[in-house]
Amino acid sequence: MKGNSGVKNDFIYSMALQLSEQEIIRREALAELQELGINPYPAEEYTTNTTIKDILTYYPEDESSFQDVVIAGRIMGRRIMGSASFAELQDSTGRIQLYFNRDEICPGEDKTMYNTVFKRLLDIGDIIGVKGYVFVTRMGETTVHVKEYKLLTKSLRPLPVVKEKDGQVYDAFKDPEQRYRQRYLDLIVNPDVRDTFRQRALMIQSMRNFLLSKEYLEVETPVLQPIYGGAAARPFKTYHNTLDTTLYLRIANELYLKRLIVGGYDGVFEFAKDFRNEGMSRFHNPEFTQMELYVAYKDYKWMMNTVEEMVEKIALDLHGTTAVKVGDKKIDFKRPWKRFTMYGAIEHFTGVDVSEMDEAQMRKAALDMGVELDETMGRGKIIDEIFGEKCEGKLIQPTFITDYPVEMSPLAKKHRELPGLVERFEAICNGKEICNSFSELNDPVDQRSRFEEQIELGRRGDPEAMVLDEDFLRAIEHGMPPTAGLGIGIDRLGMIMTNSNSIQDVLFFPQMRPEKSSSAESEGDDFINAGIPAEWVPVFQKSGYPNLESLKGANANKVFNQLCGLRKKLKLTLSAPKPEDVKEWIEKAG
RNA sequence: GACUUGGUAGCUCAGCUGGUAGAGCACAUCCCUUUUAAGGAUGGGGUCCUGGGUUCGAGCCCCAGCCAAGUCACCA
């Protein structure tokens, strides 16, 4: 360290107790930059005039272009030689090589900006802006010849360095836990992750454009609901102080959107975050996004055609083709999709026609197929079990399953021809449901009795049974036009459209258990309360005494030696304690 | 929730029957200087997830716990 003030030394070395060596070196570089009069975090705008992607795309077509470029981004790699160096710069569009030459960066006598600042004080991860011109190196790589550069942000932590050659990736940053917890790192070093989320955004945009082009109204409805409804699921519960009342985070927005149809809109939709207090897996996150759409004067048959049209358009907008690669399969969203009734699908995959069976016969048939059941299951639930067990996983290409048992669908209208069924369909794709839709039940008398059946299920112990929403009934008693409704899982569809294996890969910040945080900082108060100088607290903690309690009964000589040893090792400017001080501190602990 | 696998340096990972913690990248100092997952030399860097136990001795064995991933169950 040259010319550093004692104050800065103290700051850096007191941090040294918690920091890795590489972090200390970066903090020293930060201090040195400031002494050179360089602001590592400048406030003013840095105006760029192109992007890396544009340079790489258009320069090869016209080598007289890009002779005066300004770009900004993060340093992702450096190859430093004597008077000339190369670096990799990454912006939001891509990565390009930079060429630095000492005598061009520093035309005069003072070579500090090259020798000291660029070579020694900049690191991988720093954000800089550069001005220069584009050329091609002897090795044939399009490169920006830097005439001038400016530090825009100093990075204090080392970045995972991922290297790649001929499609082979070295030292990939791939541990899922770290990728999800520190998504920013994932995004920096794994460019395909940035692409996945761009595609997700494009997918939503495509869907929204489709719906807006039909002149449906995009709306927002409450997330905090006094009565949760619209789906069979367990809710998150919260509490409002002023109202002194329990509220639930919505599990669906269906009942609110239908109220809007009652209110006279012909078509309403919402991209809704829903919350379900249930298990987590690679298909389930506690909060997820669903697009719900309700269109008046339509039925579920119309809605099937609409879903096909919409999803086919999304595939085309994202991939330019209706066929999408998912894992080792190719899924083709080209219309028309295959259609099965639920009974038809079961007969197709099991060879058993269950359509005419009563509950007892059905139970026996299911058990014969090896489907596990429990006592609380009624006829509808058994059909659902058979379907889920024997059919759903086998449906890879997009397929509509229609006409569900009434017991499973308390918000769907009874089938116009087939008793015991409702006018409902789901689209199954890659073995998973991607949407759910019905001709909405608008008969208020029927709706009330369906709710009452749900209440009965709740009494029998079904934790997912729906509760009766009196205001919703009041609304449809005023008359809701015949309506087709749809819920489509945005995350699930996103997984398919981006070829992602888990829902965590299409959510920026999937829910994780909270990280175990070191409580060292708060525990430090104990030391101070016992009269131990604050500047020694981190030294104690580094020595293996996280709190005062841990110091109890410790050998005073040993502690004294540990403290002084660390002081020497880390070149702390603190004055050494006396042995009797240490003894006194330990006595206070015990 | 059950089962399986894993947690070792900033990152990716080795680590023998239980015997003084290793490599590559990154970092530091130096050499070469239009290189490209740059090369060469030297060096620094560790709570082996946590807590117990067995043992003369534990990264490794046993028990408990934490976190994650995979599979299964439930839900979209």
Side-chain angles (χ1 to χ4, degrees):
Chain A
M1 294 296 295
K2 305 164 217 43
N4 267 353
S5 69
V7 176
K8 267 181 186 148
N9 262 328
D10 278 357
F11 168 72
I12 288 167
Y13 286 119
S14 71
M15 299 297 288
L17 293 157
Q18 290 116 40
L19 297 176
S20 71
E21 185 193 29
Q22 292 193 45
E23 290 173 284
I24 293 164
I25 288 163
R26 284 175 182 237
R27 280 173 154 84
E28 287 171 354
L30 178 78
E32 209 173 329
L33 285 164
Q34 285 166 322
E35 275 163 34
L36 287 168
I38 295 169
N39 179 356
Y41 304 103
E44 64 275 12
E45 172 185 28
Y46 189 85
T47 310
T48 59
N49 65 11
T50 187
T51 63
I52 288 170
K53 186 179 173 191
D54 277 355
I55 293 172
L56 295 176
T57 306
Y58 298 114
Y59 179 79
E61 293 171 9
D62 174 11
E63 299 208 346
S64 66
S65 61
F66 296 108
Q67 293 309 290
D68 197 4
V69 298
V70 186
I71 54 176
R74 194 183 288 273
I75 298 173
M76 298 302 289
R78 298 197 303 162
R79 294 180 285 279
I80 293 187
M81 292 157 287
S83 59
S85 302
F86 291 88
E88 301 282 329
L89 190 77
Q90 174 171 291
D91 72 5
S92 69
T93 66
R95 200 183 273 208
I96 198 167
Q97 176 168 268
L98 305 179
Y99 172 73
F100 288 80
N101 180 293
R102 179 177 60 207
D103 296 322
E104 293 194 53
I105 301 290
C106 309
E109 286 300 299
D110 180 5
K111 304 299 184 191
T112 308
M113 275 305 276
Y114 182 78
N115 284 341
T116 306
V117 178
F118 175 75
K119 281 172 68 175
R120 204 156 56 74
L121 302 181
L122 290 194
D123 289 289
I124 290 175
D126 290 353
I127 295 169
I128 62 170
V130 304
K131 296 182 185 180
Y133 62 88
V134 179
F135 74 111
V136 176
T137 64
R138 238 180 254 169
M139 301 297 288
E141 180 158 350
T142 303
T143 300
V144 176
H145 187 120
V146 177
K147 291 197 286 196
E148 209 179 296
Y149 74 91
K150 180 180 182 186
L151 175 62
L152 300 177
T153 298
K154 179 73 192 161
S155 164
L156 295 181
R157 288 177 183 262
L159 204 59
V161 177
V162 179
K163 296 187 175 181
E164 187 241 311
K165 188 188 187 183
D166 300 332
Q168 178 86 8
V169 179
Y170 299 82
D171 299 331
F173 180 69
K174 62 185 179 189
D175 174 41
E177 176 168 3
Q178 287 203 72
R179 287 183 47 225
Y180 301 151
R181 285 196 196 279
Q182 295 182 265
R183 181 68 89 179
Y184 38 90
L185 292 183
D186 193 26
L187 291 165
I188 291 169
V189 304
N190 294 328
D192 50 316
V193 174
R194 283 202 299 276
D195 272 354
T196 295
F197 286 99
R198 276 211 188 87
Q199 293 227 306
R200 182 191 161 115
L202 257 176
M203 176 185 95
I204 291 170
Q205 201 179 315
S206 170
M207 191 179 286
R208 176 174 282 124
N209 288 342
F210 174 87
L211 296 165
L212 291 174
S213 76
K214 308 271 185 196
E215 306 202 335
Y216 305 141
L217 186 70
E218 182 165 14
V219 301
E220 290 175 278
T221 60
V223 171
L224 291 173
Q225 304 181 350
I227 296 170
Y228 61 95
R234 291 151 81 176
F236 286 91
K237 198 172 176 180
T238 187
Y239 176 77
H240 190 278
N241 291 337
T242 303
L243 295 177
D244 184 23
T245 192
T246 298
L247 292 173
Y248 300 91
L249 273 60
R250 69 178 169 202
I251 57 172
N253 53 356
E254 170 157 357
L255 302 186
Y256 284 92
L257 294 181
K258 286 186 193 168
R259 285 169 168 96
L260 298 179
I261 296 293
V262 171
Y265 293 112
D266 281 343
V268 292
F269 69 93
E270 178 174 13
F271 286 90
K273 256 302 179 58
D274 291 337
F275 305 82
R276 297 190 184 174
N277 206 342
E278 292 168 348
M280 289 162 58
S281 74
R282 73 186 178 92
F283 292 106
H284 301 88
N285 196 61
E287 53 183 294
F288 65 101
T289 306
Q290 196 171 201
M291 196 287 293
E292 292 200 36
L293 166 70
Y294 293 82
V295 183
Y297 310 113
K298 304 294 182 190
D299 65 4
Y300 78 134
K301 294 184 176 178
W302 173 90
M303 188 63 91
M304 263 189 271
N305 296 330
T306 302
V307 167
E308 271 181 345
E309 187 186 346
M310 181 168 75
V311 175
E312 185 191 67
K313 172 184 178 297
I314 289 168
L316 285 168
D317 285 351
L318 261 56
H319 300 104
T321 161
T322 56
V324 178
K325 193 175 169 299
V326 181
D328 52 7
K329 303 176 193 99
K330 195 143 204 144
I331 294 181
D332 197 340
F333 291 100
K334 189 168 178 51
R335 287 183 284 170
W337 299 355
K338 196 184 285 181
R339 297 181 189 199
F340 273 125
T341 64
M342 182 156 247
Y343 288 144
I346 290 174
E347 189 170 358
H348 182 263
F349 285 104
T350 70
V352 181
D353 178 5
V354 296
S355 60
E356 303 296 325
M357 294 181 181
D358 63 19
E359 182 171 331
Q361 292 169 314
M362 181 121 20
R363 180 172 292 272
K364 184 175 179 303
L367 293 172
D368 287 348
M369 290 175 209
V371 174
E372 289 183 29
L373 303 175
D374 69 53
E375 287 310 306
T376 66
M377 290 174 179
R379 187 176 186 276
K381 187 81 181 170
I382 295 171
I383 292 176
D384 195 54
E385 282 296 311
I386 296 172
F387 178 77
E389 193 77 21
K390 296 290 172 191
C391 307
E392 191 170 17
K394 293 178 181 154
L395 295 168
I396 302 305
Q397 298 303 321
T399 305
F400 288 118
I401 302 297
T402 61
D403 301 343
Y404 282 61
V406 64
E407 298 92 323
M408 303 299 302
S409 317
L411 299 167
K413 187 176 270 192
K414 280 183 176 143
H415 199 281
R416 62 193 76 175
E417 288 157 4
L418 304 169
L421 300 182
V422 291
E423 299 205 347
R424 170 178 176 183
F425 73 84
E426 291 189 0
I428 314 287
C429 179
N430 204 25
K432 281 277 165 189
E433 171 191 344
I434 56 170
C435 77
N436 183 12
S437 168
F438 17 91
S439 302
E440 299 297 333
L441 177 54
N442 64 342
D443 173 346
V445 177
D446 191 4
Q447 181 68 79
R448 183 176 291 276
S449 69
R450 302 273 198 100
F451 273 138
E452 277 159 4
E453 283 163 21
Q454 287 292 310
I455 291 166
E456 183 52 37
L457 279 180
R459 287 208 192 94
R460 278 166 66 174
D462 184 346
E464 292 176 352
M466 292 186 191
V467 290
L468 189 142
D469 186 334
E470 195 58 58
D471 177 69
F472 171 69
L473 284 172
R474 181 166 62 185
I476 65 171
E477 280 166 8
H478 282 283
M480 181 173 80
T483 297
L486 169 74
I488 182 161
I490 295 297
D491 312 293
R492 291 276 176 86
L493 188 61
M495 285 168 65
I496 291 168
M497 288 293 174
T498 62
N499 189 14
S500 297
N501 193 38
S502 74
I503 200 167
Q504 285 79 12
D505 287 328
V506 295
L507 297 170
F508 274 126
F509 303 104
Q511 195 59 242
M512 309 277 282
R513 272 216 168 68
E515 227 174 331
K516 192 175 44 173
S517 68
S518 159
S519 53
E521 209 166 313
S522 55
E523 287 179 330
D525 294 350
D526 299 0
F527 288 109
I528 294 166
N529 294 339
I532 294 172
E535 59 269 27
W536 280 100
V537 171
V539 189
F540 272 105
Q541 290 174 337
K542 182 84 174 179
S543 305
Y545 304 102
N547 48 37
L548 198 63
E549 176 75 17
S550 60
L551 208 55
K552 196 182 280 185
N555 179 315
N557 281 326
K558 186 183 169 194
V559 175
F560 175 72
N561 284 331
Q562 281 177 310
L563 294 179
C564 293
L566 262 182
R567 173 176 170 273
K568 191 172 173 189
K569 184 180 172 194
L570 296 166
K571 299 174 196 154
L572 299 176
T573 54
L574 305 168
S575 56
K578 296 192 186 79
E580 48 270 33
D581 292 339
V582 176
K583 202 173 167 195
E584 197 185 317
W585 295 343
I586 291 172
E587 278 163 9
K588 279 178 184 158

